[in-house]
Amino acid sequence: MDYENMTDEWPKKKRKEAAYTRGVMTGIIAGVFAVLAVVCTAFGVAFNLGYIHIGINGEVYVQGDAATDSRGVGSNVEGKLNALDSLMDYFYFDNVDEELAQSNIYKAYLASYGDKYTVYYTPEEYKALVESTTGTFYGIGAVCQKHEDGTIKIIDAYEEAPAFKAGIRTGDFISKVNGTDIRDMDLSSAVALIKGDIGTTVELEVIREEKHFNVMVTRDKVSTQTVKYELKENGIGYVAISQFEEVTTNQFKMAVEDLMAQGMKGLIVDIRSNPGGMLTTVVDMLDYILPDGLIVYTEDKNGKRTEYSGKNSAELTVPMAVLVNGDSASASEIFAGALQDYGKGRIIGTQTFGKGIVQTIKPLTDGSAVKFTIAKYFTPKGQDIHGKGVMPDEMVELNSDAEGDEQLNAALNYLNNQIN
């Protein structure tokens, strides 16, 4: 064996293998750096264009639409705002709450759009808004609706809840919360003031039959019962829905199933004075009632159409009547309009409110949020409800001087005829 040649070739082979390994590692490292460079460049571009934001808590927010604070109306008014700030700082006799001033500037700008459903929420207001849609929160236990004069109308004061115990009743109006006039606030912002920690108190200025008085209410945990029901004579079920929240779908299904077990032959759904709620909830409820098909659709400013259709092949087969009035709004109108288009139930009462637009909420990186209108919604047959409302199949006014509930009696008469 030629040991001399062997010892000469072995180091050469090792050197080649080492060089190859170094080359591969160099290529891998170069590739990694190249990828990182591309990623960093893409991140920088996306960040500058407003697709990526970094919150004050260090979290990274990624959004589908570009949004940046580097340009826009703020740049145009910045100089004048600073001039006003300097003027007030020099001459104004008192101090200013700068955080409150900034929040009010944001609120005022969005109010300039002329859409009362487009609003700015402070971090505290947004937190309270999120809590209010879950069905469990700390508050006074009342369904509220914004009245035309800016006050809050109590649509339903839950029995055994804090508001009812303190003397507040359905039909009352609230004008101030802890001394703050809420008539220029949107509903969610005003309700956020009413809510608070369990055991704390809130002072409400209440208006009842033009009389003003103050009520102290102790906040407590409130589990929203949005559905009440009973079986009336001749096997007619009655279900009243106060609002469409996360808990409403299950509450509604349980009510109907219980009534069916009791021998229900016809169903009245009462959504009078129901201010609306979550689109997903009303779609799920209609999916439970209607045959497969289109339930509602929306169109944005560019004409882009989004459809919501049923997935449940089963449907409710008993005769139905739906009670509505001028305070039935938003999701209530989707509910009534869809049943009307399918001929699934007779709509009885008065013309509904006419809120046929859809809002979305975008949280911002500092914990605040913006709610704004993004589309109009239409019933399956294309009814444009906004500003018009749903016209009942049977117009029945509610006469306060009459004995009993004329609208409910009309629904009972209709279903009795259908059953017989």
Side-chain angles (χ1 to χ4, degrees), residues 176-182 193-195 201-205 215-216 219:
K176 292 182 180 179
V177 179
N178 286 331
T180 300
D181 195 317
I182 50 86
L193 293 180
I194 296 174
K195 295 175 182 176
T201 58
V202 59
E203 183 179 15
L204 306 175
E205 183 178 272
V215 175
M216 296 294 295
R219 302 178 177 103

Side-chain angles (χ1 to χ4, degrees), residues 230-250:
E230 64 176 304
L231 187 67
K232 295 184 176 292
E233 293 181 3
N234 201 22
I236 296 176
Y238 172 82
V239 177
I241 305 170
S242 60
Q243 54 193 330
F244 294 92
E245 301 295 352
E246 276 187 11
V247 296
T248 308
T249 300
N250 286 336

Side-chain angles (χ1 to χ4, degrees), residues 47-110:
F47 182 83
N48 290 330
L49 290 176
Y51 289 99
I52 295 176
H53 292 265
I54 301 177
I56 57 175
N57 56 0
E59 292 182 358
V60 177
Y61 294 76
V62 181
Q63 52 196 42
D65 300 317
T68 176
D69 56 8
S70 64
R71 61 186 184 278
V73 68
S75 302
N76 298 331
V77 301
E78 180 182 10
K80 191 167 185 176
L81 279 176
N82 287 335
L84 290 173
D85 184 51
S86 298
L87 179 69
M88 297 301 287
D89 185 54
Y90 189 80
F91 290 107
Y92 186 60
F93 82 100
D94 204 354
N95 295 322
V96 64
D97 184 335
E98 292 190 358
E99 185 176 343
L100 178 62
Q102 291 173 15
S103 294
N104 285 338
I105 288 172
Y106 307 144
K107 288 178 181 290
Y109 173 66
L110 292 181

Side-chain angles (χ1 to χ4, degrees), residues 286-322:
L286 288 168
D287 187 17
Y288 176 72
I289 297 170
L290 298 174
D292 281 349
L294 181 63
I295 291 175
V296 64
Y297 67 91
T298 63
E299 286 185 358
D300 65 14
K301 66 179 182 180
N302 298 316
K304 181 182 177 182
R305 175 166 165 160
T306 302
E307 297 185 348
Y308 299 84
S309 298
K311 301 175 183 177
N312 179 14
S313 58
E315 63 176 295
L316 205 56
T317 56
V318 297
M320 292 182 61
V322 180

Side-chain angles (χ1 to χ4, degrees), residues 145 153 270-274 322-329 332-333 347-354 390 392 396 398 407:
Q145 185 178 63
K153 183 178 181 181
D270 189 348
I271 51 175
R272 290 177 293 182
S273 299
N274 182 323
V322 180
L323 298 179
V324 296
N325 63 9
D327 289 327
S328 302
S332 294
E333 295 171 291
I347 314 301
I348 298 172
T350 56
Q351 184 177 355
T352 62
F353 185 81
V390 174
V396 180
L398 196 59
Q407 294 170 339

Side-chain angles (χ1 to χ4, degrees), residues 329-368:
S330 191
S332 294
E333 295 171 291
I334 294 176
F335 188 89
L339 288 174
Q340 188 177 60
D341 281 4
Y342 275 91
K344 193 70 178 178
R346 187 169 181 82
I347 314 301
I348 298 172
T350 56
Q351 184 177 355
T352 62
F353 185 81
K355 181 183 180 291
I357 49 180
V358 183
Q359 285 76 43
T360 190
I361 296 178
K362 292 287 187 181
L364 305 179
T365 55
D366 62 354
S368 63

Side-chain angles (χ1 to χ4, degrees), residues 217-235:
V217 184
T218 301
R219 302 178 177 103
D220 202 350
K221 184 176 180 179
V222 179
S223 295
T224 309
Q225 186 61 40
T226 60
V227 174
K228 298 178 181 178
Y229 70 97
E230 64 176 304
L231 187 67
K232 295 184 176 292
E233 293 181 3
N234 201 22

